[in-house]
Amino acid sequence: MSITREEIVDKLVGLVGEDQVITDADVLQESSVDRFRRFEAFHGVFRLPSPAAVVNVYSAAEVAAVLKFANANRVHVVPRTGHTATEGGLETILENTIVIDGSAMNKIVNIDTENMQATVQCGVPLQVLDDQLREQGYTTGHSPQSKPIAQLGGLVATRSIGQFSTLYGGIEDMVVGLEAVFPDGGITRIKNVPRRAAGPDIRHVVIGNEGALCFITEVTVKIFKYFPENNRFLGYTLDNMKTGFEILREVMVNGYRPSVARLYDVEDGAYHFSHFADGKCVLIFVAEGVKPLADATAGAIQEIVAQYGECEPVEAKLIERWFAHLNWDPANLAEEKTEIMETKNICNTTEISGSWSIINGIYETCMQRVRDEIPDLTLLGGHSSHSYLNGTNLYFVYFYNVVDCKPEEELTKYHLPIKKIIVEETIKAGGSMCHHHGVGKHRTPWIEDEYGSSYYSLDTLKKAFDPNSVRNPGTIIPLEK
Ligand SMILES: Cc1cc2nc3c(=O)[nH]c(=O)nc-3n(C[C@H](O)[C@H](O)[C@H](O)COP(=O)(O)OP(=O)(O)OC[C@H]3O[C@@H](n4cnc5c(N)ncnc54)[C@H](O)[C@@H]3O)c2cc1C
């Protein structure tokens, strides 16, 4: 069954009303991309088909009506909340897609301090929820750099992680229950309980689905008591990353849980901590919680680090100052555009994870290969920012000047070849190609290698929940699959 662009818009207007169906050409064009293509977008180059409409939804019932219509008519849909995606998850790669925007579903439904959980609609910005909680002495513990803009629906859909993850975990550790709408319009509610053993945990069908299986309409997350007055800040400079990984491992395997545990290499360290890094790697910890716990954690970390002669302590105030400016400031968006347009210098990143025994090898191999194979780099660095009992992540950061090519060639000349090196070397070593930004549309070529023999389960999930392949096509699973 094929349906025209005009018929799609008419039908949507009938379902939710004219004022909720946006067909303005500029809005549609901006809605065809996310930050992955920002260099092209800044230059006014839009190569993907504009969606037929952006539909603003206000309830699960509206989402269900739109999805049911789309599914019945084989119309593709891309869900959206904060629009901070970095891996092409929001790209509309097929003609006449509908973008369903949940950011108007922005009610904080309930803050339950007895059961330590908060329920919000998908469009609540994390900053809004956390500010409200902090006024009452609580926090979500979730602090991705995109906190001011990212919203709970997208944060759950991408399996996001925040800067205090070593204590509070990733979003998968925080989600208690949720509500989501599947392509046939069926509304699923997963109740809020402390734990369950009634078969597989189907929260994980929804968490990380990147819009490829369902639309998340409501989320319940844990909340924690907030004791900022007890925060302890520790910082060190050191000669090499290998020592830093060893220290992170010592801290984690001995059971300490600082909220922040970060290790920067020389170039990334110089970029973030120019006032004290002095050509060295930088190691940072923040211990938080009730005072005895924060003090014990900080004391134990100091003891561990003292065993490594190359570590020089840094004044705690310098780390505290850094901590006060953790997050992305949306006010800088215009500035970022001007700077990139003027300098043709742009920053991109790729994040992966690996166990302790392979992480330094991945770091060294990727750094060497990117340096050898990619032209026009102006900064190549990396840091570990999320540690676990059995390993850690690496966040590769690269700036390059876009030289001798059209805006639309930036990706194929620089960002994608760098990503390819990092992803391939990580998978080869036995790590995960994707630590927290999602697969989006640009890590799909390696999805089968990432999953190995478990790819069967992923493929079966997609076929079962999205039999007509209408949900965010080309995301997580490549289009041709
Ligand atoms: C400067 C910057 C810093 C960042 N820092 C971090 C960080 O520290 N940690 C981190 O994890 N990420 C980070 N990110 C990435 C991004 O912010 C996260 O992926 C975030 O979770 C996306 O949330 P969003 O509301 O903006 O979602 P969107 O960008 O709107 O969407 C992201 C993906 O989720 C899908 N989606 C959105 N809403 C729904 C829904 N309701 N139901 C189903 N699917 C949906 C979309 O289709 C898309 O595939 C950063 C991004 C930027 C630009």
Side-chain angles (χ1 to χ4, degrees):
M1 195 188 308
S2 89
I3 180 167
T4 67
R5 196 172 175 90
E6 291 69 28
E7 285 167 334
I8 292 170
V9 172
D10 285 349
K11 184 67 188 176
L12 290 172
V13 168
L15 288 173
V16 296
E18 199 169 354
D19 55 339
Q20 288 174 229
V21 180
I22 316 300
T23 52
D24 174 84
D26 291 340
V27 174
L28 296 183
Q29 208 170 46
E30 280 165 21
S31 300
S32 67
V33 294
D34 58 32
R35 282 183 62 86
F36 191 81
R37 291 181 191 268
R38 72 190 190 289
F39 191 77
E40 295 175 28
F42 288 168
H43 286 83
V45 177
F46 291 90
R47 293 186 287 151
L48 300 175
S50 280
V54 174
V55 185
N56 293 320
V57 285
Y58 286 82
S59 66
E62 283 187 357
V63 174
V66 174
L67 289 185
K68 206 169 165 188
F69 153 72
N71 194 42
N73 293 281
R74 309 289 197 269
V75 176
H76 301 107
V77 292
V78 172
R80 181 174 84 188
T81 48
H83 208 159
T84 65
T86 57
E87 304 296 317
L90 295 175
E91 289 175 1
T92 55
I93 58 174
L94 297 176
E95 294 291 342
N96 296 339
T97 296
I98 304 171
V99 172
I100 307 183
D101 190 310
S103 52
M105 293 180 68
N106 58 7
K107 285 194 193 66
I108 296 179
V109 179
N110 187 27
I111 291 179
D112 174 356
T113 56
E114 182 179 9
N115 297 307
M116 298 297 282
Q117 58 198 27
T119 301
V120 296
Q121 290 186 315
C122 61
V124 171
L126 178 58
Q127 184 84 53
V128 170
L129 174 62
D130 213 43
D131 285 353
Q132 192 157 323
L133 285 169
R134 285 183 182 194
E135 278 170 21
Q136 302 174 38
Y138 298 91
T139 176
T140 58
H142 202 38
S143 184
Q145 248 205 315
S146 51
K147 180 178 173 180
I149 304 187
Q151 301 171 4
L152 266 296
L155 288 160
V156 173
T158 53
R159 291 186 80 89
S160 62
I161 200 163
Q163 294 154 113
F164 314 145
S165 70
T166 310
L167 177 61
Y168 298 103
I171 194 81
E172 68 276 18
D173 303 302
M174 300 166 174
V175 172
V176 180
L178 50 79
E179 180 190 76
V181 188
F182 282 82
D184 62 357
I187 300 177
T188 289
R189 183 170 277 278
I190 302 177
K191 66 186 174 184
N192 304 324
V193 291
R195 186 174 188 268
R196 61 203 107 206
D201 188 341
I202 56 171
R203 282 176 300 181
H204 294 281
V205 172
V206 178
I207 301 171
N209 88 84
E210 296 185 44
L213 300 178
C214 61
F215 191 104
I216 301 160
T217 44
E218 191 185 281
V219 179
T220 299
V221 288
K222 294 174 189 167
I223 61 173
F224 301 87
K225 285 202 165 189
Y226 183 51
F227 305 104
E229 65 281 7
N230 299 332
N231 284 359
R232 294 282 306 273
F233 301 94
L234 303 171
Y236 304 88
T237 57
L238 65 168
D239 295 330
N240 61 76
M241 291 290 278
K242 194 159 183 286
T243 312
F245 289 129
E246 278 169 29
I247 296 171
L248 288 176
R249 181 183 172 280
E250 275 302 297
V251 169
M252 297 308 294
V253 302
N254 283 299
Y256 299 108
R257 293 292 174 267
S259 57
V260 177
R262 294 175 91 96
L263 169 68
Y264 290 78
D265 73 1
V266 171
E267 280 203 46
D268 207 10
Y271 180 72
H272 288 278
F273 310 104
S274 55
H275 46 306
F276 69 78
D278 201 20
K280 300 233 177 179
C281 300
V282 175
L283 186 59
I284 285 177
F285 296 97
V286 179
E288 63 175 87
V290 287
K291 193 162 173 17
L293 199 55
D295 288 346
T297 304
I301 291 170
Q302 283 168 321
E303 272 179 34
I304 290 171
V305 178
Q307 293 164 27
Y308 295 81
E310 71 182 72
C311 295
E312 293 285 337
V314 169
E315 222 186 312
K317 274 208 166 11
L318 296 174
I319 310 303
E320 193 171 353
R321 206 174 299 154
W322 164 82
F323 191 75
H325 299 100
L326 279 181
N327 293 333
W328 188 39
D329 183 353
N332 293 343
L333 269 174
E335 215 174 280
E336 181 198 20
K337 180 177 175 181
T338 311
E339 200 176 309
I340 290 174
M341 294 294 283
E342 278 173 5
T343 61
K344 304 271 180 257
N345 187 257
I346 184 164
C347 171
N348 275 307
T349 63
T350 294
E351 21 62 58
I352 58 93
S353 73
S355 55
W356 295 118
S357 51
I358 61 173
I359 201 72
N360 191 57
I362 294 173
Y363 169 72
E364 287 183 353
T365 310
C366 291
M367 294 297 284
Q368 192 62 51
R369 279 199 58 197
V370 175
R371 213 170 262 133
D372 290 349
E373 296 172 32
I374 307 296
D376 309 317
L377 292 170
T378 56
L379 187 155
L380 172 64
H383 61 258
S384 152
S385 41
H386 308 276
S387 280
Y388 309 89
L389 183 70
N390 57 339
T392 191
N393 85 307
L394 267 177
Y395 192 84
F396 290 95
V397 181
Y398 31 95
F399 285 71
Y400 43 81
N401 285 330
V402 181
V403 176
D404 291 337
C405 69
K406 296 185 193 140
E408 53 270 41
E409 289 163 351
E410 175 255 335
L411 290 173
T412 42
K413 186 168 176 188
Y414 304 101
H415 189 21
L416 285 169
I418 298 175
K419 204 172 261 306
K420 184 172 191 288
I421 291 172
I422 296 167
V423 163
E424 286 181 356
E425 291 297 342
T426 301
I427 293 177
K428 197 161 67 178
S432 172
M433 68 167 179
C434 184
H435 179 263
H436 63 263
H437 281 171
V439 178
K441 299 201 170 63
H442 300 286
R443 279 187 263 201
T444 58
W446 302 280
I447 195 74
E448 287 200 59
D449 293 341
E450 166 78 11
Y451 274 71
S453 56
S454 69
Y455 183 75
Y456 164 77
S457 304
L458 179 73
D459 198 37
T460 305
L461 272 182
K462 177 72 177 171
K463 285 176 181 145
F465 287 113
D466 184 21
N468 295 331
S469 299
V470 292
R471 302 247 6 147
N472 211 347
T475 298
I476 303 181
I477 292 181
L479 200 54
E480 63 272 21
K481 295 271 171 200

